[in-house]
Amino acid sequence: ENDKESTDSISDKKFNIYCFSYSTPYTPSGKLHGSVSEQFTRITLLFPSLSFPCPTSRLPLLSKSSFSLNPIQTSISILSSRSSSLLREISPTSTPNLKTLHLILQGAVLPTVNTGP
């Protein structure tokens, strides 16, 4: 199975997509913003009737499911995505862009989760 994943071409990764996901931050109290210890994330998965890309712009959904991440899981998710982006930026195969690297490091040092004005 790992061989299949490594041999997937770019077109295989970009076509015949049957699942979409999006995440929504929320607090249990209903406030728009909260501290990191109050921040939950709801992840919603959508399964359309046809795969993408598709010539029609709207497709009916076969199913929709969602689950929530508690504050610790939300923080772990944010940290893992930041570390992935940092590793991508400093990869030895490409020269690092200093502006992007600075933004990634600044976000890692000064973490904020949906803070308000």
Side-chain angles (χ1 to χ4, degrees):
E1 189 173 301
N2 290 337
D3 294 335
K4 168 111 173 72
E5 291 176 9
S6 63
T7 59
D8 285 346
S9 67
I10 292 174
S11 63
D12 291 337
K13 293 177 183 177
K14 304 286 183 190
F15 291 97
N16 294 327
I17 299 171
Y18 281 96
C19 179
F20 298 92
S21 67
Y22 63 91
S23 59
T24 309
Y26 72 96
T27 58
S29 63
K31 292 186 207 175
L32 292 177
H33 306 289
S35 69
V36 175
S37 64
E38 300 172 334
Q39 195 68 47
F40 286 74
T41 300
R42 180 178 298 113
I43 297 178
T44 305
L45 302 171
L46 303 173
F47 300 94
S49 59
L50 297 174
S51 67
F52 271 85
C54 184
T56 59
S57 59
R58 292 186 177 196
L59 292 174
L61 292 178
L62 291 177
S63 66
K64 174 183 174 181
S65 63
S66 64
F67 58 94
S68 293
L69 300 178
N70 64 30
I72 291 176
Q73 292 169 325
T74 299
S75 298
I76 290 170
S77 171
I78 291 169
L79 288 174
S80 66
S81 68
R82 292 225 174 130
S83 65
S84 302
S85 62
L86 181 59
L87 288 173
R88 251 190 330 270
E89 191 60 40
I90 61 172
S91 72
T93 58
S94 64
T95 58
N97 181 348
L98 291 180
K99 283 186 177 183
T100 311
L101 185 60
H102 176 71
L103 289 172
I104 293 170
L105 289 174
Q106 183 180 13
V109 173
L110 302 171
T112 56
V113 178
N114 303 326
T115 57

